[in-house]
Amino acid sequence: MLILLTLLFLLPAGLRAESPAARADSLYQASQVHLRGRRMQAAERDLNQALSLDSTHYATRIALSRVHHQFRRFTSAEALLVGTMAMYPRRIEAFFEYAQVRSAMGDRSGAIESLRQVIDLEPKTQAAYTGLAQQLVVPGRQMDLDAAAQALDRALTLDADDHQAMFLRGQVAMYLGDWPGARGLFAELLRQRPDHYATSYQLGHLHYRLAEYAESVRVFTRMAEVNPRSQLAKWNLWLAAQQLGAYPAAVDSSLWIHPVGGPPVSTRSLALREVAASYGVGAVDAGYGSAWLDAEGDGDLDLFALGRFGGTAFYENSSGPAGQRFTDRAPELGLSGLSGIGALTADYDNDGDGDLFITRDGWYGSAPNVLLRNDGADSSGWLRFEDVAEQAGVAGDGSSLSAVWGDLDNDGHLDLIVANGVDGDGSANRVYLADGQGGFLDETKASGIVPGRTVGSTLGDYDNDGDLDLYLANANTLNAFYRNDSNHKAVQFTDVTSETHTQTPLGAHFTFFLDYDNDGRLDLFCSEMSDLTTAVVSRLHGRTQRDRNRPALYWNRGDGSFEDRTYQAGLGQSWGTSGANFGDINGDGYVDIYLANGGVEITRLEPDALLLNLGDGRFADVAPTIDWMQLARGHGVTFADIDGNGSQEIYVPVGGAYPGDIGPNRLLRNDAEGINWLTVRLRGVDSNRDGIGARVRAVVEGRARYAVVASGGGFGSSNSLQIELGLGGATAVDTLEVRWPAGTIDLRTNLAAGSVVELVEGDVP
């Protein structure tokens, strides 16, 4: 026995049995070789074996969590890291990896907390400061740009040559609106790293924002020369050179681009003039939702507008010796401190004055919604608004973005749909049924509506059966179409998405029903959010190069289904649409569409689109033709006849996701001449007082034109609730038919153009 033990001792070390810990370490080392060779499955096999031999092996636990992360097995990575942090509470690698996993799972608050723990444990961990800043700049409830700037300043103190931290610090300066400071940072970074693509792109954009167009041209020219395949470089060069009036003469022909327009269209009937500043509505406040209402009952439309970084405005429409003007009465009304996303109006309590509903807080997380009840003027003559959302039961607890009013059960009281869950918090869409006493009952569970990351919502009677159906536009999931099968006892929706063939687009944002071909059946439009490269390439080819990246225009077949006619209508292009609505801008009786474009990226320069309905089933973008170049990101676009001359104006709230990405809100006044019109103001009796959901049919020179009263849709905003009918050159409406939600049908005949018709439900003329 002694001889045997001696022989075993004399054997080479490699032939003796290894301890479990030593074997685990050997397997870990082997896994690193596999990882360097990108043999992920072999690496994972060795790491799992190593962990079975030594469950406390720190390096193995970290490496295996990274493998799980790479294969998007986030739950497995999380569980492994939680155990590791418990075993080794003073080791920073596990906390750092945990932050990456929580970020990938969409939990930025968890990622931020873990990175701060790394900093507490090892205050000189430079990567933790940079990682923390990356989390803090993402738009949402955790965004804190000042804290991000402080973290990056600390990172650069630890390593002044860290180009990633310097780059991000320049971006934070942009986000905060420090354009000169950002320009200096990126100029220095470009000096250190000449021709760096991303740095050049940021610097060229900064010059553009600072109106240094010659410098912008210089930077983007060099960028395009070094990167000749970059369509973005050439696109931005095109935009900057146009500001100098130097395109294409001052640009080398090898760098030219040729955006493809739509069919040739006469724009003689269009005369749009930007008047926001002179009218007093050009605030710089990161505009979001907007709503037009006659709050005072004086016959003029007033404007309620939400600003993300500048508060709320309530613009009273007034005229004086100097002409039309709007005056912000929000301070006197106590509304200045409000903020929110969507803004829509309706006389929800049927008392004769317009109330307001405000959704909060969308991409920025959950916050109580606001219902401003209009209590009329007090003894001093000022309007009084009171937030009754909590007592009315509609405050909610979700991340609300859009909403839409409608009488779902046709009982004469307006109900409310609120779209929730856009920030991924899992909050359900809400169906609030009016109780007839000024309050609402949450009928979501009984209604059949399922949760989704919903951005846009709209109501319309697509099957002409007398009740309002619901369409929901969801972020990066299939959209949902619900047929209203309610009665006076219960609200019930049936999912008909598959049979209506309306699941797409996948990147859906804003939606509305419209009758674009005047056949008496409601069609459906849904916008899509494309990235800038996809949108630019689409402009250069005249159509999208990726079918999933385009809006959808669904034509109502009349048999309960829709046909996708996006391409036939000339809308098969890619836009990054962040706001959309419709109206009749040239007064020809066919509805047109305005797309407010842009994206989260502060460097995105993408023109808005004004899609003119040609009356033959096609649309054409006439914004370039009329020299309307609105590049800043827009949101709650609305149409309304603000001066009572029968032609509609367009209000475009402007603002991005960051305080630095803002610009003046825009108001396009319609100065078209020679267009006749008829305005119809409805007052419900058995139906809701605003007549929301009423269908209007006007016969003009033997041809029918259709309109619907709606509040919501688009960005969760409200066009004027009065029907503003464009008659073209016709001098009269032969027949006007109104079908009320309660089932009443009213007729009027021989109505002269240029008239305002006050029509009360059931009144005999």
Side-chain angles (χ1 to χ4, degrees), residues 330-414:
E332 293 94 331
L333 301 177
L335 302 178
S336 299
L338 288 175
S339 67
I341 305 292
L344 51 158
T345 184
D347 183 5
Y348 83 94
D349 52 3
N350 289 332
D351 67 350
D353 45 35
D355 311 296
L356 290 157
F357 184 74
I358 301 170
T359 60
R360 302 174 70 225
D361 225 3
W363 299 286
Y364 299 92
S366 58
N369 298 318
V370 174
L371 177 59
L372 294 175
R373 187 182 65 204
N374 185 344
D375 291 332
D378 59 19
S379 58
S380 64
W382 290 108
L383 291 176
R384 294 175 301 155
F385 284 94
E386 181 181 356
D387 181 10
V388 296
E390 189 68 39
Q391 66 193 67
V394 294
D397 58 0
S399 53
S400 304
L401 198 146
S402 69
V404 58
W405 290 105
D407 187 354
L408 301 177
D409 54 0
N410 291 332
D411 65 351
H413 300 285
L414 285 172

Side-chain angles (χ1 to χ4, degrees), residues 409-466:
D409 54 0
N410 291 332
D411 65 351
H413 300 285
L414 285 172
D415 311 304
L416 183 64
I417 303 283
V418 179
N420 286 330
V422 67
D423 81 333
D425 63 356
S427 56
N429 298 313
R430 294 295 177 188
V431 178
Y432 294 114
L433 194 67
D435 63 8
Q437 304 297 318
F440 295 83
L441 302 174
D442 187 345
E443 296 291 335
T444 304
K445 291 183 178 179
S447 70
I449 304 298
V450 300
R453 295 187 63 177
T454 304
V455 181
S457 55
T458 187
L459 289 167
D461 183 9
Y462 85 100
D463 50 5
N464 287 337
D465 67 348

Side-chain angles (χ1 to χ4, degrees), residues 19 54 60 105 113 148 155 206 215 223 264 286 424 426 439 442 455 476 559 630 653 695 753 759:
S19 68
D54 182 359
T60 295
M105 296 174 72
E113 179 183 358
L206 282 160
E215 285 299 301
M223 187 177 170
D442 187 345
V455 181
N476 297 317
D559 61 357
Q630 159 58 30
R695 303 285 293 273
L759 201 157

Side-chain angles (χ1 to χ4, degrees), residues 629-716:
M629 183 68 81
Q630 159 58 30
L631 291 172
R633 186 184 188 189
H635 287 112
V637 179
T638 43
F639 287 71
D641 175 15
I642 68 172
D643 47 16
N645 68 355
S647 57
Q648 292 183 321
E649 279 71 40
I650 305 175
Y651 178 71
V652 185
V654 171
Y658 301 103
D661 192 14
I662 56 179
N665 299 323
R666 315 297 294 272
L667 178 63
L668 283 175
R669 189 181 71 199
N670 193 338
D671 290 339
E673 297 181 355
I675 296 175
N676 291 328
W677 53 274
L678 182 78
T679 295
V680 183
R681 296 173 178 165
L682 301 181
R683 181 156 66 86
V685 177
D686 294 325
S687 302
N688 66 87
R689 188 179 176 92
D690 286 326
I692 290 175
R695 303 285 293 273
V696 176
R697 177 177 181 267
V699 178
V700 180
E701 295 182 337
R703 299 182 64 180
R705 303 176 184 196
Y706 296 86
V708 180
V709 183
S711 182
F715 192 83

Side-chain angles (χ1 to χ4, degrees), residues 733-749:
V733 171
D734 304 324
T735 304
L736 182 75
E737 176 186 282
V738 178
R739 292 181 175 266
W740 296 85
T744 310
I745 299 176
D746 284 315
L747 293 173
R748 298 291 186 272
T749 58

